[in-house]
Amino acid sequence: GDVIRPWRPEPHFPSIPSAASWAVSEPARLAVLDRSFEQRVARWPGVISAVLDRLDSRTTALALQLALAQVPRLDLRVLCVMWHLADRFGRRQPEGVSIALRLSQETLAGLTSSRRPSVSTALRSLRERGLVLRPQPDLWLLPGQPPAESNLNATADVRHDSDPRTSRSVTAE
């Protein structure tokens, strides 16, 4: 459902040049919404409204991704990205939310503004705490609930339960 415009003209002489690329990790269908499309659907405002809704959803998702990049702890950032993917692609099951995606650690690194070795360490930590499971190569399972908003700026460990005898911890609820 994402809408992108890779052919959009660049502003004249941008201060900071940039380039974008896309990677498709699952089977996808594409539609070219060019000038010809605009002319054909002009008489149906509902179609244009639906495209604008998709653009708005894309903007909201990008704003969320930017906000998640500010979460200080990488393990919590990875967990939040996994829950964001669960919102889009997940299926609720008795044991948690399953996400059937071919999602490499390299891709997770890109989504979390980090590096692959660090993501590997963060995933290992999340698996050890039972917050992210991987029952099959292309299947992720998120038991429990998404992290509470109050935990997003936490610098302490995120756990299911808090033990006052250990270092400071935050409950993930």
Side-chain angles (χ1 to χ4, degrees), residues 3-170:
V3 176
I4 56 175
R5 287 189 67 188
W7 60 83
R8 186 187 78 234
E10 285 294 318
H12 299 299
F13 308 109
S15 299
I16 301 172
S18 64
S21 63
W22 293 270
V24 179
S25 59
E26 294 288 324
R29 292 185 306 181
L30 301 175
V32 177
L33 309 182
D34 56 8
R35 296 264 184 233
S36 170
F37 169 81
E38 289 176 24
Q39 292 169 351
R40 288 193 314 264
V41 300
R43 60 184 153 222
W44 297 293
V47 173
I48 301 300
S49 179
V51 171
L52 290 174
D53 288 346
R54 295 293 177 106
L55 285 169
D56 184 57
S57 294
R58 178 78 174 138
T59 301
T60 301
L62 289 171
L64 175 63
Q65 190 172 352
L66 182 61
L68 290 176
Q70 304 305 309
V71 173
R73 287 190 56 104
L74 180 57
D75 57 345
L76 187 53
R77 201 175 332 146
V78 169
L79 184 61
C80 288
V81 166
M82 295 300 290
W83 277 102
H84 174 61
L85 293 171
D87 287 343
R88 290 193 68 189
F89 306 107
R91 293 201 169 164
R92 174 116 357 235
Q93 298 183 348
E95 60 274 4
V97 178
S98 66
I99 310 166
L101 282 177
R102 260 180 269 141
L103 191 60
S104 69
Q105 291 180 6
E106 191 69 37
T107 300
L108 274 174
L111 293 173
T112 57
S113 303
S114 59
R115 299 191 182 271
R116 198 228 26 96
S118 300
V119 167
S120 179
T121 302
L123 281 170
R124 183 172 35 257
S125 172
L126 291 168
R127 278 194 304 266
E128 288 170 358
R129 291 180 280 158
L131 298 172
V132 174
L133 306 174
R134 196 161 187 191
Q136 298 170 17
D138 292 340
L139 183 67
W140 301 83
L141 182 64
L142 304 176
Q145 299 295 316
E149 184 178 347
S150 61
N151 293 345
L152 295 182
N153 291 317
T155 56
D157 198 13
V158 179
R159 301 177 188 270
H160 276 301
D161 59 321
S162 178
D163 184 347
R165 296 170 294 172
T166 62
S167 63
R168 204 169 63 121
S169 64
V170 178

